[in-house]
Amino acid sequence: MTPADAAELLTLAAAFDRRTVGEADARAWAAALNATPFDDDAREAVARHYAETDRWLTPAHVRQQRAKIRAERIATANVFYDGRPDETGAESITRRRALERAVADGRIAPQTVTQGVGLAPGTAPRALTGAPAVDPELVERLAAIGRTIPDDAAEQLRPYRPVRAERESLAAHGQPDPLDVPCPYGPCRAAAAEPCRMGKNRARRRATPHPSRLEAATYHHRARQEQSA
């Protein structure tokens, strides 16, 4: 936050507490809030403070209220990170934090818990409902995956949900989806919708499905096409 930003924030506070705002005040507040951006959340923090108390506003109050506003968005967003089979622990942390920032900034709209985990009821994604040219098999496959959010929201989440994004892409292009079927490979035996596993005690995800699962998915896909014909 710059001194000019701080002066504007203090002017907003003055509307509540009738304080005087000078250059020294603006510089002092800018120094205390140097790591805090002057955004709508900072403005809302001032209003929230005086909605809850008559205590004189300080920079610490602004930081605390702004943090609460952002934490509330994260708590109600119900957005979950799928993870990537080949990512390191550090990469997973980085991507989770990026997703959390996007949610806290309000760039990703909230959804219900069942939508977040792909268990919401319904047979078609909202963006496809009522469209006469939609392939019924595509609708069915997207619904089975759990695609119940609008296309624009799904696109925003794509970098953070690579497994689901890949499944949706396979469905859209009419290709077999290995996660539609359990893995028949003995040492793996991953359930449907779960990535293949490898290593001691099946502790690690495989970046790609086992060949036998690909084959099983192909047979499953062909059978579904024959039933739809």
Side-chain angles (χ1 to χ4, degrees), residues 71-88:
E72 287 169 6
R73 287 201 191 102
I74 294 172
T76 60
N78 299 313
V79 173
F80 307 100
Y81 178 59
D82 279 350
R84 301 186 182 189
D86 57 346
E87 71 183 353
T88 65

Side-chain angles (χ1 to χ4, degrees), residues 1 9 15 18 21 56 58 72 81 87 96-97 100 128-129 135 138 155 160 173 183 202 219:
M1 191 174 296
L9 190 70
R18 303 301 181 186
V21 180
W56 191 260
T58 69
E72 287 169 6
Y81 178 59
E87 71 183 353
R96 286 176 186 274
R97 287 176 177 171
E100 187 174 281
L128 297 180
T129 301
D135 180 358
L138 171 60
E155 189 62 31
Y160 310 108
H173 291 87
C183 181
R202 303 168 63 249
Y219 284 125

Side-chain angles (χ1 to χ4, degrees), residues 48-159:
R48 278 204 185 191
H49 174 79
Y50 280 111
E52 297 173 2
T53 181
D54 58 359
R55 293 179 60 191
W56 191 260
L57 182 74
T58 69
H61 293 139
V62 174
R63 287 199 307 272
Q64 292 161 7
Q65 287 284 3
R66 185 176 181 276
K68 285 172 59 177
I69 291 168
R70 296 170 67 79
E72 287 169 6
R73 287 201 191 102
I74 294 172
T76 60
N78 299 313
V79 173
F80 307 100
Y81 178 59
D82 279 350
R84 301 186 182 189
D86 57 346
E87 71 183 353
T88 65
E91 289 171 338
S92 176
I93 291 172
T94 298
R95 290 176 181 131
R96 286 176 186 274
R97 287 176 177 171
L99 176 60
E100 187 174 281
R101 282 195 301 272
V103 173
D105 289 344
R107 290 182 280 125
I108 295 178
Q111 57 185 352
T112 66
V113 174
T114 50
Q115 286 175 330
V117 299
L119 296 177
T123 58
R126 281 182 248 169
L128 297 180
T129 301
V134 172
D135 180 358
E137 182 184 345
L138 171 60
V139 172
E140 180 184 351
R141 289 182 65 179
L142 290 178
I145 293 169
R147 176 65 174 279
T148 56
I149 60 176
D151 286 346
D152 55 348
E155 189 62 31
Q156 291 181 58
L157 292 171
R158 181 175 293 274

Side-chain angles (χ1 to χ4, degrees), residues 21-44:
V21 180
E23 183 178 347
D25 302 300
R27 289 187 179 278
W29 275 62
L33 296 173
N34 67 313
T36 302
F38 182 54
D39 54 13
D40 288 342
D41 291 341
R43 297 183 183 91
E44 176 65 18

